Amino acid sequence: MARLEADCSRCAALCCVAPAFAKSSDFAVDKPAGQACRNLADDFRCRIHEDLPARGFQGCVVFDCFGAGQRITQETFGGRDWRGAPEIAGAMFATLPVMRQLHELLWLLTEALQLDEARRLHPELRMARDEIDALAAGTADELRGLDVDAYRKKVVPLLRRVSELARAGAGRRRPDHSGAHLIGRRFRGADLRGASFRGALLIGADLRDADLRRADFTGADLRGADLRGADLTGALFLTAAQLRAARTA
Ligand code: SF4
């Protein structure tokens, strides 16, 4: 299985070049797709890595490629990079969004396989994970031709069933906030055990001291959410990048 966390030392800084940036609270500058960020050094390191939020690049802090960048660099393109071989630049950059989505699905499936409550779904989860990992091992042309949405549509219902099973033991209430707009909402000290926040917008929400045990955070936007003192024991599908985006200390 491929590694599902970013290892920038084995990547050619694809996320600093491939996507376009729109000047906003996340990015201090506009940048067209395919053009290297002005802060990118010749050795593919970020010159302002230690200082990203203060310099207006919070979007870089919260981005997570789930290990897609190093897989493209090392596996799909055999260790070559867009600087040393400019002729592959376009293909490399076009592969990033596809591989990232595949690796995100792999990460979710791998998390689901850690959940004992969903044990009866483990064979299906393993099959889905192996199928997607095999797709991710394809050539650049194969990857760019993939209909990732079709695979997402197969995997998401399975992950929802996993979430139901895992949250079932978290009490009766289990509020359903999936897809909800909860920007700035006050939840301080609330009992949110087993809640679903799948795809919810929790930007700037006050979740201090909330009970979030076994809550599902799949795809939730936690930028600026205040999680200080919250109990996140057993929280589901909560990524390191989501936690970086929130306030935890
Ligand atoms: S600011 Fe740094 S991490 Fe962000 S895109 Fe530019 S080089 Fe990459």
Side-chain angles (χ1 to χ4, degrees):
M1 258 302 288
R3 192 169 156 185
L4 301 175
E5 61 196 46
D7 179 355
C8 301
S9 69
R10 304 187 70 233
C11 176
L14 299 183
C15 63
C16 305
V17 189
F21 297 166
K23 191 171 177 179
S24 63
S25 55
D26 281 338
F27 296 105
V29 293
D30 284 318
K31 178 190 90 56
Q35 180 179 303
C37 171
R38 67 184 186 187
N39 299 316
L40 187 66
D42 289 345
D43 61 357
F44 298 125
R45 289 179 191 271
C46 173
R47 288 193 192 93
I48 61 166
H49 181 71
E50 305 305 325
D51 211 16
L52 285 165
R55 300 282 292 270
F57 287 85
Q58 177 68 10
C60 305
V61 178
V62 304
F63 179 78
D64 193 347
C65 79
F66 297 96
Q70 75 252 22
R71 188 165 190 178
I72 293 169
T73 305
Q74 300 301 331
E75 190 177 314
T76 317
F77 287 90
R80 291 183 298 161
D81 67 71
W82 51 273
R83 271 195 175 129
E87 68 279 8
I88 64 169
M92 262 189 134
F93 301 155
T95 308
L96 180 62
V98 179
M99 186 70 90
R100 184 184 177 275
Q101 289 186 74
L102 293 175
H103 267 225
E104 183 183 18
L105 290 175
L106 285 174
W107 184 85
L108 291 165
L109 289 163
T110 303
E111 285 289 296
L113 279 162
Q114 312 294 320
L115 299 169
D116 276 349
E117 300 99 314
R119 199 176 301 114
R120 66 185 168 83
L121 296 177
H122 282 192
E124 272 181 80
L125 289 165
R126 270 193 287 272
M127 258 173 45
R129 184 195 60 184
D130 293 347
E131 183 183 12
I132 289 172
D133 194 40
L135 292 171
T139 65
D141 284 344
E142 287 167 344
L143 284 161
R144 279 177 291 151
L146 277 183
D147 180 359
V148 183
D149 270 351
Y151 291 97
R152 188 176 284 279
K153 281 179 185 149
K154 273 167 59 176
V155 168
V156 167
L158 180 58
L159 292 169
R160 281 188 198 279
R161 285 161 63 203
V162 169
S163 176
E164 286 293 330
L165 290 170
R167 292 185 294 116
R172 284 194 162 184
R173 287 185 64 250
R174 289 185 278 136
D176 185 0
H177 294 300
S178 44
H181 287 217
L182 302 168
I183 298 167
R185 185 68 70 86
R186 292 183 190 156
F187 284 120
R188 188 171 187 178
D191 178 2
L192 294 165
R193 276 174 294 168
S196 175
F197 290 109
R198 297 176 69 86
L201 295 180
L202 284 159
I203 300 166
D206 184 358
L207 289 155
R208 282 174 292 173
D209 305 315
D211 189 345
L212 293 163
R213 287 175 287 170
R214 270 301 190 243
D216 180 348
F217 288 98
T218 308
D221 191 337
L222 285 164
R223 282 176 292 167
D226 197 339
L227 287 166
R228 287 175 297 167
D231 188 348
L232 288 161
T233 306
L236 304 171
F237 308 117
L238 180 62
T239 69
Q242 282 172 307
L243 286 172
R244 283 198 298 275
R247 187 169 183 194
T248 55

